[in-house]
Amino acid sequence: PIARVDALAKATGAHTYPSDVVRQGMLWVQVLRAPHPHAHIRAIDAAAAQTLPGVVCILTAKDVPGENRFGLLVRDQPVLCDQVVRYQGDALAIVAAETDEIARRARELIRVEYEPLPLVTDPEQALWPDAPRLHPQGNLCAELQLGRGDIVAGFAAADYVFEREYRTGRQEHAFLEPEAGAAYYDDEGALTLCVGGQNPFNDRQQVANALGVPEDHIRVLNPMMGGAFGGKEDISVQIYLALVTYHTKRPCRLRLDREESLRVGVKRHPFQVRYKTGVRQDGAVTACEVTILADAGAYTTLSPAVLALAANHCCGPYNFPHTKITARAVFTNNSNASAFRGFGNPQVVVGLEQQMDMMGRAVGLDPVAFRRRNAIRQGQPAGAGFTVTGTVTLPRVLDSVQQSELWQRREQFKQTASPWKKRGLGLAAIWQPFGLGAGIEPGAHTRIELQPNGRYLVHLSSPDLGGGSVTACLQLAAHELHSAVEDFDVVMGDSRSPNAGSSNASRTTFVVGAAVMEAAARLREAILAAARRLNLGGEPQLQGSQIQAGDRAVPLAELAAELGPLAAAGFFKPARPEPFSFGMPYAFGFSAQLALVEVDTLTGEIEVLKLENHLDVGRAINPQGVEGQSEGGMAQGLGYALYEDTLMQDGRVQNERLSTYVIPSIRDVPAEVKTILIQEPEPLSPHGGRGVGEIGLSATAGAIGNALFDALGVRFERLPVTPEMVLDALEQKGA
Ligand code: MOS
């Protein structure tokens, strides 16, 4: 465990975030968005705005020199709309001015004539034949049918069948730093973007396409940013900034206001998930039928991928012999939904883990025993049909739960002093894949150099979103070079570095870390080979930042020039799993979370008293960082369970401030948040580590749901569970 390399600069405020980038003569940028969530554009008149002193340019669709479209999977979102707007975030014009105030005033002076169109805001109605179409092909964004066995036979074999529909909220990433960045021409004449993002190469490709220039005319930098959580995978400010600098040749900056970020930024997909599950009296699960309907919002973004992950994992790490999975994502005029920590898994866990709770209770097995009884094994097919080739450590994770004090003394912990307060303990157990799917994961390239001053320089093009991946990668490199993280300089998030791929899918430390290890091992051998040629008097060895040979120890700083320019590349891509199916997950992390809740039955208030995460992320490269990811994930999962939902009315966000979109504060997160690490090295991973970025969040809402049932005898089928819902439920129950 070590302190993160970015800790001091962030704690002291010295770190330069994308929104802090300042250049001489910068322009301020503002974006005009549609007030209507669905409308034809009749005319845009910027004449009055244009004459305002201090306005430098106003750009509309005709000023997009390349393709006026972007999107990671399907380029279906206009950069600047000139015909139709499809959601509240759609952009029509960009204003660049000498001051922010002038840019905002000019934006108000732009006149747009709209012809409002009928709205589609209900995902079910989006598929009705007479629903207004958002796109020429209709409103179906993505669809999947998966499963195995014979679902009818599976339910026929069951002694108990439970069927329920769950609905989950439109969670907002609420990163500390909203979407932000700057654009300028660098010393070599490249149009450079310094922005919050998760993959400089993806950003570069989309910017170049919109500008109609070769990719190497664009350089994208993703320095350490104030969080992303999946919400910075898609283009946000990048193309607007690039267009302004392209047209004016001047540097510019844009940081979305918090209100703008909440109104136009991507969200977690709200899901309606119908679960029908069957179990035999002897405790064996027999069948799982799942129907998923996801609200994708107006454009494709990453919806098909999120839907696929949800469908692949919705039967959980359990051995259901008969399954049927139908998943759809549909276009609506609501907020765009895309990637968010967990990537479709948190939505299905909420339903599945409550079904598991019901089934366990029906057959008289406790939650740990019931999950152990049905745990999937390596080599078996998952509910979605693919073979589980990675290791399965769910039983070990459940052992850890069983040995915990919270589990063993649960009846004592559930006692309260006040008769109107009820306590309950809930368990949820999950798997979360890491790395992009098989056939999709591109692998990672890195490079390490020995600099003339004797320090190492590492290229890590996958940015550190705030999760600590750079520290972990440096630890792995330092291990191979027998040195310390302090001996390294880093070029991070630069599209001029070798391509290491995205920082997403809990892949960075797993894939990029492995590539860095390989580069470091090769560089070590290159340094030693060069040192041998210098005849230092003995077999040379690397130790710290010195080369030892015989009884001499020479600092690398003194030898670097003589050793010559030395560098080594590294590449890692997980081995192709057999049997192979496209998009299947390579491997999983496992987590079982316990939540102890207390409900005030007079006010309906819910307090989470304890959260415990029994977590196998394989070998923990930086245990302190892993704990941070686990705790942060649980806090965000607590918000998902109890507070967070972007409320929409007729396609308009109703709670567009952090005073009305409520995230957990220090008062809401329990004082006792524990992470118990089980470290079974993952064979697929050269360093033994599994991904940790997402897994902390995915189980929490399911565990809290089960704890609420334990406390009140009420199932909540909708997230977030508010005090009003608690009071209504208790009233209906006659309590
Ligand atoms: Mo992600 S939710 O794969 O950044």
Side-chain angles (χ1 to χ4, degrees):
I2 65 165
R4 276 164 46 164
V5 293
D6 47 322
L8 188 65
K10 284 180 174 173
T12 58
H15 176 64
T16 304
Y17 289 89
S19 45
D20 295 328
V21 174
V22 174
R23 312 274 292 196
Q24 196 71 40
M26 262 184 149
L27 295 173
W28 296 78
V29 178
Q30 289 296 342
V31 181
L32 176 71
R33 318 260 182 185
H36 299 285
H38 200 196
H40 269 303
I41 302 160
R42 283 249 183 82
I44 304 177
D45 176 6
Q50 199 84 61
T51 60
L52 195 69
V55 169
V56 175
C57 73
I58 295 176
L59 305 174
T60 55
K62 65 178 183 337
D63 304 305
V64 180
E67 189 187 3
N68 187 8
R69 303 260 164 215
F70 67 93
L72 281 167
L73 300 177
V74 179
R75 290 196 303 274
D76 63 355
Q77 183 162 0
V79 176
L80 294 170
C81 301
D82 59 353
Q83 318 232 322
V84 178
V85 289
R86 296 180 183 83
Y87 89 113
Q88 241 195 347
D90 261 335
L92 295 104
I94 311 167
V95 182
E98 299 292 348
T99 70
D100 191 34
E101 208 187 354
I102 296 170
R104 286 169 192 271
R105 229 183 314 144
R107 178 173 62 178
E108 281 171 27
L109 292 175
I110 302 173
R111 293 280 158 258
V112 185
E113 260 182 70
Y114 298 97
E115 179 192 327
L117 291 167
L119 297 179
V120 184
T121 56
D122 179 310
E124 274 177 16
Q125 290 173 13
L127 292 176
W128 292 1
D130 59 345
R133 290 182 165 215
L134 267 74
H135 297 279
Q137 77 277 19
N139 295 334
L140 185 63
C141 170
E143 184 173 30
L144 277 152
Q145 307 267 2
L146 301 169
R148 70 189 192 97
D150 176 347
I151 194 73
V152 177
F155 285 119
D159 294 305
Y160 303 93
V161 173
F162 296 94
E163 188 170 6
R164 298 219 172 207
E165 187 175 285
Y166 302 86
R167 287 173 186 235
T168 59
R170 195 184 311 271
Q171 192 178 23
E172 152 68 30
H173 304 81
F175 17 63
L176 285 172
E177 182 185 40
E179 300 86 340
Y184 49 87
Y185 282 99
D186 74 0
D187 299 339
E188 290 153 46
L191 204 174
T192 304
L193 292 155
C194 183
V195 292
Q198 299 185 219
N199 182 339
F201 292 90
N202 281 353
D203 284 3
R204 185 180 71 164
Q205 195 273 327
Q206 294 184 84
V207 169
N209 187 62
L211 262 55
V213 301
E215 286 191 37
D216 61 7
H217 289 205
I218 309 289
R219 181 183 194 178
V220 176
L221 303 172
N222 292 152
M224 288 211 192
M225 64 210 77
F229 306 113
K232 291 177 182 172
E233 289 202 51
D234 300 275
I235 288 289
S236 58
V237 297
Q238 290 86 334
I239 302 177
Y240 309 141
L241 288 165
L243 282 170
V244 168
T245 294
Y246 175 88
H247 281 287
T248 64
K249 310 287 175 243
R250 287 179 61 177
C252 67
R253 68 188 308 186
L254 170 58
R255 181 183 66 90
L256 301 195
D257 294 337
R258 182 61 72 178
E259 291 76 11
E260 191 176 11
S261 175
L262 292 182
R263 194 163 61 238
V264 315
V266 297
K267 315 286 179 226
R268 187 188 295 289
H269 292 76
F271 272 31
Q272 299 177 21
V273 192
R274 176 158 285 279
Y275 267 102
K276 183 177 173 187
T277 56
V279 64
R280 285 198 321 240
Q281 183 59 54
D282 67 3
V285 294
T286 62
C288 185
E289 185 174 356
V290 194
T291 313
I292 297 170
L293 182 63
D295 183 350
Y299 297 102
T300 303
T301 65
L302 287 168
S303 296
V306 171
L307 192 74
L309 193 142
N312 271 325
H313 295 83
C314 66
C315 297
Y318 307 114
N319 185 22
F320 285 97
H322 305 287
T323 62
K324 184 175 178 218
I325 300 158
T326 310
R328 288 191 189 90
V330 298
F331 294 119
T332 67
N333 297 114
N334 294 326
S335 283
N336 258 346
S338 192
F340 195 148
R341 196 180 205 174
F343 211 79
N345 201 25
Q347 289 97 318
V348 293
V349 163
V350 169
L352 177 65
E353 283 302 305
Q354 296 203 66
Q355 297 286 122
M356 290 298 286
D357 203 64
M358 285 174 216
M359 292 191 285
R361 284 174 189 269
V363 301
L365 285 174
D366 75 49
V368 173
F370 183 64
R371 285 167 178 80
R372 197 196 306 280
R373 167 89 165 84
N374 290 294
I376 207 163
R377 283 192 295 276
Q378 192 174 15
Q380 284 181 332
F386 63 85
T387 303
V388 176
T389 55
T391 51
V392 177
T393 56
L394 180 62
R396 279 196 65 186
V397 167
L398 292 172
D399 286 345
S400 173
V401 171
Q402 196 145 25
Q403 285 152 20
S404 70
E405 196 199 0
L406 182 52
W407 176 258
Q408 300 222 337
R409 295 179 47 216
R410 57 191 181 279
E411 292 311 321
Q412 268 163 280
F413 282 114
K414 276 160 47 175
Q415 304 293 321
T416 60
S418 327
W420 64 89
K421 288 191 172 172
K422 305 286 182 204
R423 287 188 181 185
L425 184 74
L427 172 73
I430 62 146
W431 56 1
Q432 181 80 44
F434 55 92
L436 297 162
I440 302 170
E441 172 60 59
H445 291 275
T446 61
R447 183 182 152 89
I448 310 183
E449 298 160 20
L450 177 65
Q451 303 174 98
N453 63 4
R455 293 175 58 76
Y456 298 110
L457 181 69
V458 189
H459 288 269
L460 294 171
S461 79
S462 308
D464 190 327
L465 313 175
S469 60
V470 161
T471 303
C473 286
L474 292 184
Q475 284 179 279
L476 291 165
H479 176 79
E480 293 295 328
L481 283 158
H482 307 287
S483 60
V485 297
E486 291 76 21
D487 301 328
F488 288 80
D489 297 320
V490 184
V491 177
M492 186 174 72
D494 188 338
S495 64
R496 289 209 178 137
S497 291
N499 190 343
S502 294
S503 285
N504 68 354
S506 303
R507 75 183 281 280
T508 317
T509 301
F510 163 49
V511 184
V512 185
V516 167
M517 275 175 82
E518 190 190 67
R522 284 192 178 163
L523 182 60
R524 180 189 66 222
E525 294 313 313
I527 291 170
L528 294 176
R532 272 181 214 113
R533 289 194 288 274
L534 296 181
N535 295 318
L536 299 169
E539 176 62 17
Q541 290 190 337
L542 262 179
Q543 207 45 254
S545 47
Q546 309 189 101
I547 289 183
Q548 291 189 328
D551 48 13
R552 290 177 66 191
V554 192
L556 273 174
E558 284 176 27
L559 271 184
E562 277 183 80
L563 290 168
L566 292 174
F571 175 72
F572 176 75
K573 183 176 167 174
R576 184 184 163 98
E578 288 300 340
F580 172 89
S581 65
F582 184 80
M584 71 185 271
Y586 282 98
F588 314 90
F590 292 88
S591 157
Q593 291 190 13
L594 288 172
L596 180 70
V597 304
E598 181 174 273
V599 185
D600 185 323
T601 58
L602 299 180
T603 65
E605 282 168 296
I606 300 165
E607 190 179 351
V608 181
L609 300 173
K610 287 176 194 282
L611 281 175
E612 213 167 271
N613 191 5
H614 298 262
L615 177 63
D616 182 10
V617 292
R619 184 116 171 247
I621 310 303
N622 185 8
Q624 189 178 316
V626 169
E627 277 178 38
Q629 286 298 293
S630 169
E631 291 176 8
M634 285 191 273
Q636 215 164 20
L638 186 157
Y640 189 46
L642 300 180
Y643 311 129
E644 297 188 45
D645 195 8
T646 302
L647 302 171
M648 305 214 68
Q649 181 72 48
D650 300 327
R652 289 163 209 260
V653 174
Q654 301 299 296
N655 45 352
E656 54 179 37
R657 291 171 181 272
L658 288 178
S659 56
T660 48
Y661 181 95
V662 179
I663 59 173
S665 77
I666 195 151
R667 292 190 54 201
D668 308 305
V669 176
E672 284 190 55
V673 182
K674 251 198 227 172
T675 298
I676 297 91
L677 287 182
I678 297 106
Q679 298 194 47
E680 185 155 318
E682 167 57 49
L684 188 69
S685 167
H687 46 68
R690 303 168 199 261
V692 66
E694 298 167 282
I695 192 168
L697 185 149
S698 294
T700 312
I704 290 174
N706 287 336
L708 289 171
F709 182 84
D710 193 44
L712 304 171
V714 173
R715 281 280 164 212
F716 294 96
E717 292 163 355
R718 203 190 170 104
L719 294 189
V721 183
T722 62
E724 292 86 347
M725 285 163 63
V726 170
L727 291 181
D728 281 352
L730 290 177
E731 198 173 314
Q732 274 181 25
K733 221 180 143 234

